[in-house]
């Protein structure tokens, strides 16, 4: 079994020091508790910070901590007080946290924070490299470690690296504000699988990689160098059985009795969160205040229990929030309370599981109204404890959990009126309806638990790795390359079928800018001058451009994917008569789309029309190509016309034209004893398909292909061609 390393900023055990004594306690939070059962069944090690800075402990204590945690399979990464200040409170919690939660005004951009972030990610990398085996499985968690996948990839190129983001990935409009956006994206792309809670976050991430790095995806898969990287949604679940079975615990039942005695028969609303401005606690309290003002009949009939867990207590924004919250609780209690009734019971502390479960269980309503939340486990935990089916969840649309818990009463957390209405609806909801809604949600939560989530993630990671391995089997490795060169040397009737764009030259932002450079022309010239070689450049380009660029070579040219042929020393010939009267109907449509899509342009060839959108906004272009395809297909249903999507182009052409068709003519010309064909896109697949088994067919780039081999890049293909002509004088 491949060894699993789990990496997160905090270890599942936190160390504190009181009166010279080290104390070891379980860390708060869903990840640590959620993965505990999973860890027991897997051979795994956890790498992270034990929560105490090195300035507070001696070298001896540091060693003591390491030793004690190693026994629990936890490997410590130590941070200094300065690291905690600049990395954790700084870049993590003053830059990434607010920006990723759509609070750009709270976001601080400081170079010293960024430097600390890089340095701590590097320190994590060093610790991992010390204990990891080259092919082990490394699962990295959350926004504190977004550079780590790339750092590890450089050190351990064969490792299986997964990354999961627990907070939202913001829309491109927010993410682009980050001065270090490129580094963060490249950091993440060091992983093989990048997981998010919801598909919306996946979309945002893919949109940012496309717009910032120009890396296009296909169904969530991106090609990064010679690796396929996948981005997908894995909604994190909870340890369902633990919450569902909570009532069996006598401590939980005792706690419920105590609370019931104190609250009497009043309805109970709970509000439980880490004290964080993203959780919408102030807005929620203001809504409760409004509810009491607008519904005097509920005075003395309802109690809001507000439990806030201390969080990031050293950060000013959090201290300010606490002050504001406590002021507001005081005002509401002062204004609405009576001698025997305190409307809001406020607790600022961490509570153990039994108390938390008792609160979930006794509550009539849970108000979970974050302004933004990656997932929100409180909502799920509340529903899971409702064994009798009673209780209503009011849930913000802005929590990732909303995409799974559609039966909750969902609200816009900024709309106080809507929260007021929802509280009333929840308090008055018939029991049958409550039960019905909860049963559906419980079914879902019981199936997709945290253990299933972890398995699902790790299984997908291993599948991505398998796909990578399948593709890398086809990589033109040194032995095959040597065999190819030796067969070339021995043969005398050699055929080269070479695509142009994306194969011999890289893509340019404008099609006309991809002219052959000063390295390519001599290379092709040397190849074509050898009398044993027959070189055919087979392209989708129009014949005028091809002729202008490559017409002087001792080579044959094929233009428009096989519509036109110019044999060595001959003239252009049409392969077969083709219609092009359809262009008059299609051209005005393309013109309309070009006007509506800034950056796009039309290229007209004799037998095809091409709509280019490499310089357009990728999301807009995506929508437009789908519309355009539908429109054209409707118009040309009875004609012999096809619509094809290529690399940032949409091409409308006669169906009779195909690279495969024209290559067949060449294959019949004579008995070739060496064939090398190279291409990069879907039109070249038609070519690869008709080649004899022993031909060297090479795809530039990595994706599933009919070609026998892959090379990484245009540069690698050119190197191979150079090797063939090296040391040979013509
Ligand atoms: P958090 O922002 O911490 O997590 P959340 O998902 O609500 O938010 O998890 C909080 C966890 O802490 C829950 O498991 C809960 O039981 C526990 N907890 C809350 N209040 C407590 C209290 N007073 N005493 C004891 N325990 C308490 C981040 C993201 C979330 C995402 C999680 C998991 O911000 O959006 O859901 O990670 O991916």
């Amino acid at each position: 079994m491949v060894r699993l390393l789990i990496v997160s900023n905090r270890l599942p055990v936190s160390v504190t020091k009181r009166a010279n004594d080290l104390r070891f306690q379980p860390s708060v939070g869903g990840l640590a508790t959620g993965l505990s059962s999973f860890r027991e069944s897997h051979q795994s090690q956890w790498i992270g910070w034990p929560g105490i800075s090195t300035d507070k402990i001696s070298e001896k204590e540091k060693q003591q901590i390491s030793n004690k945690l190693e026994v629990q399979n936890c490997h410590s990464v130590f941070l200094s007080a300065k690291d905690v200040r600049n990395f954790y409170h700084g870049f993590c919690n003053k830059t990434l946290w607010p920006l990723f939660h759509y609070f750009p005004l709270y976001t601080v951009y400081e170079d010293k924070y960024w430097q600390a972030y890089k340095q701590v990610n590097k320190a994590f990398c060093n610790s991992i490299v010390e204990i990891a085996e080259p092919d082990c499985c490394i699962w990295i968690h959350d926004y504190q470690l977004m550079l780590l996948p790339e750092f590890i990839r450089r050190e351990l190129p064969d490792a299986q690296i997964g990354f999961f983001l627990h907070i939202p990935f913001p829309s491109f409009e927010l993410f682009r504000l980050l001065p270090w956006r490129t580094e963060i994206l490249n950091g993440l792309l060091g992983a093989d699988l990048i997981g998010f809670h919801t598909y919306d976050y996946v979309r945002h991430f893919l949109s940012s990689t496309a717009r910032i790095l120009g890396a296009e995806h296909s169904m969530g898969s991106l090609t990064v160098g010679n690796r396929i990287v996948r981005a997908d949604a894995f909604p994190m679940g909870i340890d369902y059985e633990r919450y569902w079975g909570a009532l069996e615990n006598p401590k939980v039942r005792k706690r419920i009795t105590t609370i019931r005695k104190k609250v009497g028969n009043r309805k109970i609303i709970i509000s439980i969160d880490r004290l964080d401005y993203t959780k919408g606690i102030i807005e929620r309290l203001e809504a409760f205040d409004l509810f009491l003002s607008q519904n005097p009949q509920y005075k003395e009939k309802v109690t809001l229990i507000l439990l806030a867990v201390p969080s990031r207590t050293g950060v000013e924004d959090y201290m300010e929030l606490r002050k504001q919250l406590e002021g507001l609780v005081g005002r509401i209690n002062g204004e609405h309370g009576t001698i025997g009734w305190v409307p809001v019971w406020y607790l600022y502390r961490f509570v153990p599981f039994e108390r938390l479960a008792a609160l979930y269980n006794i509550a009539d309503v849970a108000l979970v109204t974050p302004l933004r939340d990656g997932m929100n486990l409180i909502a799920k935990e509340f529903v899971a404890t409702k064994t009798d089916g009673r209780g209503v969840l009011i849930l913000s649309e802005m929590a990732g959990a909303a995409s799974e818990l559609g039966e909750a009463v969902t609200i816009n957390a900024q709309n106080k009126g809507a929260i007021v209405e929802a509280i009333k609806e929840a308090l008055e909801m018939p029991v049958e309806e409550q039960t019905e809604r909860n049963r559906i949600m419980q079914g879902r939560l019981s199936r997709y638990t945290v253990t299933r989530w972890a398995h699902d993630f790790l299984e997908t990671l291993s599948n991505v790795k398998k796909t990578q391995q399948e593709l890398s089997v086809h990589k033109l490795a040194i032995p095959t390359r040597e065999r190819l060169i030796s067969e070339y040397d021995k043969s005398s009737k050699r055929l080269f079928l070479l695509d142009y764009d994306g194969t011999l030259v890289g893509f340019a932002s404008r099609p006309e800018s991809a002219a052959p450079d000063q390295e390519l022309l001599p290379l092709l010239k040397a190849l074509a001058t050898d009398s044993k070689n027959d070189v055919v450049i087979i392209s989708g380009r129009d014949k005028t451009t091809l002729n202008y660029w490559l017409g002087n070579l001792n080579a044959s040219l094929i233009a428009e994917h096989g519509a036109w042929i110019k044999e060595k020393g001959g003239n252009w010939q049409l392969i077969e008569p083709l219609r092009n009267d359809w262009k008059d109907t299609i051209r005005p449509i393309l013109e309309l789309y070009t006007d509506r899509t800034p950056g796009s342009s039309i290229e007209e060839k004799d037998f095809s029309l091409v709509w280019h959108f490499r310089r357009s906004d990728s999301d807009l272009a995506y929508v437009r190509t789908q519309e355009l395809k539908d429109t054209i297909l409707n118009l040309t249903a009875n004609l012999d016309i096809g619509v094809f999507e290529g690399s940032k182009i949409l091409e409308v052409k006669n169906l009779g034209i195909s690279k495969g068709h024209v290559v067949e003519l060449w294959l019949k010309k004579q008995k070739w004893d060496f064939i090398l064909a190279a291409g990069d896109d879907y039109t070249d697949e038609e070519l690869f398909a008709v080649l004899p088994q022993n031909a060297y067919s090479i795809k530039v780039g990595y994706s599933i292909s009919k070609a026998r081999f892959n090379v990484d890049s245009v540069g690698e293909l050119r190197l191979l061609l150079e090797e063939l002509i090296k040391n040979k004088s013509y």
Side-chain angles (χ1 to χ4, degrees):
M1 188 164 61
V2 180
R3 215 167 118 224
L4 173 66
L5 302 184
I6 299 172
V7 193
S8 65
N9 179 47
R10 294 294 290 265
L11 282 172
V13 180
S14 287
V15 182
T16 47
K17 189 175 168 185
R18 289 228 184 107
N20 282 336
D21 257 356
L22 293 175
R23 293 188 186 185
F24 295 78
Q25 281 168 320
S27 302
V28 201
L31 182 66
T33 42
L35 283 185
S36 60
S37 53
F38 178 82
R39 284 185 74 214
E40 280 157 23
S41 59
H42 279 69
Q43 197 200 354
S44 69
Q45 255 190 306
W46 200 311
I47 294 149
W49 179 47
I52 189 161
S53 67
T54 44
D55 307 55
K56 292 190 184 141
I57 45 174
S58 63
E59 267 309 309
K60 198 171 147 221
E61 285 171 322
K62 201 170 148 184
Q63 199 52 52
Q64 234 178 307
I65 294 173
S66 294
N67 294 345
K68 181 135 189 196
L69 292 179
E70 285 298 337
V71 179
Q72 302 179 47
N73 280 324
C74 290
H75 187 80
S76 309
V77 179
F78 286 98
L79 302 181
S80 68
K82 194 170 163 215
D83 292 335
V84 176
R85 214 168 38 247
N86 292 331
F87 157 75
Y88 182 63
H89 290 311
F91 200 74
C92 295
N93 293 330
K94 288 189 186 157
T95 310
L96 294 173
W97 179 268
L99 188 68
F100 279 42
H101 284 88
Y102 295 70
F103 283 84
L105 290 179
Y106 283 40
T107 308
V108 179
Y109 304 103
E110 275 256 16
D111 191 58
K112 74 170 178 213
Y113 291 170
W114 166 244
Q115 296 305 336
Y117 188 76
K118 278 199 293 190
Q119 179 236 309
V120 171
N121 272 254
K122 196 89 213 138
F124 267 80
C125 176
N126 295 340
S127 292
I128 291 165
V129 170
E130 272 174 30
I131 59 168
E133 282 137 31
D135 60 347
C136 69
C137 175
I138 305 173
W139 188 7
I140 304 165
H141 290 266
D142 228 359
Y143 64 105
Q144 299 91 350
L145 300 172
M146 290 196 282
L147 298 177
L148 190 54
E150 188 191 15
F151 287 164
I152 302 179
R153 176 68 58 204
R154 282 192 213 143
E155 304 292 330
L156 303 169
D158 296 326
Q160 282 184 38
I161 307 177
F163 179 91
F164 190 84
L165 187 70
H166 289 261
I167 65 172
F169 194 94
S171 93
F172 167 69
E173 282 307 323
L174 264 287
F175 185 70
R176 71 192 303 192
L177 298 176
L178 190 67
W180 308 280
R181 58 201 183 180
T182 309
E183 290 87 337
I184 295 287
L185 289 179
N186 282 328
L188 290 172
L189 290 176
D192 301 302
L193 175 65
I194 306 166
F196 302 88
H197 281 305
T198 72
Y199 190 66
D200 277 338
Y201 308 153
V202 178
R203 276 199 305 111
H204 294 158
F205 170 73
L206 291 172
S207 151
S208 287
T209 51
R211 288 160 181 235
I212 295 167
L213 304 180
E216 286 295 330
H217 75 99
S218 157
M219 314 273 289
S221 292
L222 297 138
T223 307
V224 180
N226 60 4
R227 280 183 309 122
I228 299 283
V229 175
R230 221 183 135 57
D232 211 340
F234 301 86
M236 186 174 170
I238 56 167
D239 184 351
Y240 187 79
E241 289 304 320
R242 188 166 185 235
Y243 290 90
W244 180 256
L247 265 191
E248 287 164 22
N249 180 336
K251 283 192 192 157
V252 175
R253 289 203 301 273
K254 190 164 164 233
R255 190 72 204 158
I256 292 176
T257 315
T258 316
I259 304 174
R260 184 48 76 202
K261 260 194 214 143
K262 291 192 177 146
V263 185
N265 57 1
R266 289 189 185 108
K267 296 264 186 188
I268 298 175
I269 303 178
I270 52 163
S271 155
I272 302 178
D273 318 79
R274 263 190 321 99
L275 184 57
D276 195 293
Y277 51 84
T278 60
K279 303 285 181 184
I281 307 175
I282 298 291
E283 293 74 4
R284 188 183 308 163
L285 260 185
E286 286 171 351
F288 185 63
D289 180 20
L290 189 62
F291 168 78
L292 292 177
S293 306
Q294 290 181 353
N295 296 280
Q297 73 276 20
Y298 275 104
K299 290 209 168 176
E300 302 201 321
K301 304 248 164 46
V302 57
T303 296
L304 172 67
I305 302 180
L306 192 142
L307 174 59
V309 196
S311 175
R312 301 168 199 171
T313 43
V315 179
E316 306 87 70
D317 287 337
Y318 289 75
M319 295 195 257
E320 187 47 44
L321 177 66
R322 182 179 173 194
K323 255 208 305 228
Q324 203 189 345
L325 175 65
E326 292 176 356
L328 188 56
V329 170
R331 186 179 66 67
I332 295 174
N333 283 342
E335 275 178 24
H336 298 283
T338 59
I339 298 291
W341 175 58
V342 179
V344 184
W345 289 11
Y346 167 64
L347 306 164
Y348 177 66
R349 72 192 64 144
F350 169 78
V351 297
F353 170 76
E354 292 76 20
R355 291 183 175 214
L356 195 62
L359 279 174
Y360 288 147
N361 193 272
I362 201 172
D364 297 284
V365 179
L367 255 183
V368 183
T369 59
L371 303 176
R372 286 280 162 181
D373 212 335
M375 170 53 78
N376 196 296
L377 299 177
I378 306 277
K380 295 187 169 183
E381 292 166 0
F382 168 75
V383 173
T385 57
K386 295 299 187 188
T387 32
D388 64 359
R390 288 165 180 248
V392 181
L393 172 66
I394 299 177
L395 182 59
S396 161
E397 293 160 359
M398 295 304 179
S403 51
E404 285 167 90
L405 303 178
E407 293 75 18
V409 177
T410 47
I411 47 95
N412 171 351
Q414 299 282 7
N415 184 344
K416 283 195 200 84
I419 302 181
V420 170
E421 299 253 308
I423 296 177
K424 197 154 179 288
E425 182 190 340
L427 290 172
E428 292 167 10
M429 187 180 283
V431 174
E432 305 74 56
E433 187 179 342
Q434 298 179 21
T435 315
E436 176 63 17
R437 288 177 184 235
N438 285 330
R439 292 278 177 250
I440 302 174
M441 294 192 278
Q442 285 165 346
R444 222 173 279 136
L445 293 177
S446 65
R447 288 188 294 274
Y448 206 80
T449 61
V450 68
T451 313
R452 167 102 186 269
W453 166 79
H455 276 292
D456 203 10
F457 183 91
L458 292 173
E459 198 180 312
T460 312
L461 175 59
S462 132
N463 287 339
V464 175
K465 209 66 202 172
K466 270 188 215 135
T467 312
Q468 285 178 2
Q469 278 156 357
E470 276 159 27
L471 287 174
S472 70
V473 167
H474 301 288
K475 184 171 164 55
L476 190 71
I478 293 172
T480 322
R481 200 183 146 98
E482 282 170 359
R483 198 171 63 241
L484 183 155
I485 294 170
S486 131
E487 283 186 25
Y488 173 86
D489 286 338
K490 281 188 231 144
S491 54
S492 56
K493 286 176 194 157
R494 309 166 185 144
L495 175 62
F496 285 84
L497 300 161
L498 305 173
D499 168 50
Y500 183 74
D501 293 276
T503 302
L504 291 174
V505 293
F507 286 104
S509 60
R510 291 168 194 275
E512 59 276 20
S513 319
D517 50 75
Q518 286 316 308
E519 276 172 19
L520 180 65
L521 278 178
L523 171 65
L524 289 178
K525 192 167 171 225
L527 200 65
T529 313
D530 187 332
S531 57
K532 294 177 184 166
N533 294 350
D534 212 340
V535 176
V536 186
I537 308 290
I538 173 161
S539 164
R541 292 263 178 184
D542 66 89
K543 62 184 195 312
T544 315
T545 310
L546 271 194
N547 217 26
Y548 180 63
W549 285 346
L550 305 167
N552 287 335
L553 294 174
N554 184 32
S556 302
L557 303 180
I558 296 178
E560 294 198 30
H561 306 297
W564 291 99
I565 297 184
K566 181 177 170 248
E567 294 211 36
K568 230 187 308 193
N571 292 319
W572 284 106
Q573 280 178 346
L574 200 56
I575 289 201
E576 55 186 81
L578 291 166
R579 288 176 60 174
N580 63 5
D581 49 349
W582 53 267
K583 285 182 10 186
D584 295 337
T585 316
I586 302 298
R587 193 182 304 103
I589 300 170
L590 292 187
E591 281 164 355
L592 178 70
Y593 273 80
T594 304
D595 290 340
R596 291 172 61 203
T597 317
S600 67
S601 59
I602 302 172
E603 180 189 1
E604 179 154 358
K605 305 186 213 169
D606 292 335
F607 298 101
S608 75
L609 286 171
V610 190
W611 190 58
H612 289 264
F613 50 85
R614 186 169 296 277
R615 290 185 304 121
S616 305
D617 176 284
S618 52
D619 284 348
L620 177 65
Y622 175 78
V623 174
R624 292 283 187 261
T625 40
Q626 304 316 309
E627 289 172 12
L628 193 50
K629 240 171 39 186
D630 277 354
T631 314
I632 298 172
L633 285 172
N634 276 334
L635 278 170
T636 58
N638 300 323
L639 301 173
D640 218 10
I641 302 299
V643 186
F644 301 89
E645 265 184 82
S647 174
K648 307 276 189 187
I649 59 142
L650 193 79
E651 179 152 21
V652 190
K653 62 172 181 150
N654 283 72
L655 280 177
I657 307 177
S658 123
K659 284 188 181 179
H661 186 50
V662 68
V663 161
E664 276 175 331
L665 303 179
W666 239 275
L667 294 174
K668 281 184 203 144
K669 276 184 188 229
Q670 60 168 302
K671 201 167 174 327
W672 305 99
D673 52 11
F674 176 90
I675 301 176
L676 187 152
D680 73 305
D681 74 7
Y682 75 99
T683 59
D684 302 308
E685 294 299 316
E686 297 163 347
L687 185 168
F688 297 143
V690 299
L691 293 175
Q693 288 244 307
N694 62 348
Y696 285 95
S697 49
I698 301 175
K699 179 174 168 95
V700 178
Y702 284 84
S703 55
I704 305 291
S705 165
K706 293 196 176 83
R708 287 173 64 207
F709 306 105
N710 294 74
V711 291
D712 285 356
S713 60
V714 168
E716 197 183 331
L717 181 75
R718 285 193 188 188
L719 278 178
L720 174 71
L721 297 179
E722 266 164 30
E723 188 94 5
L724 295 180
I725 56 170
K726 209 164 62 181
N727 304 328
K728 295 167 185 100
S729 46
Y730 305 105

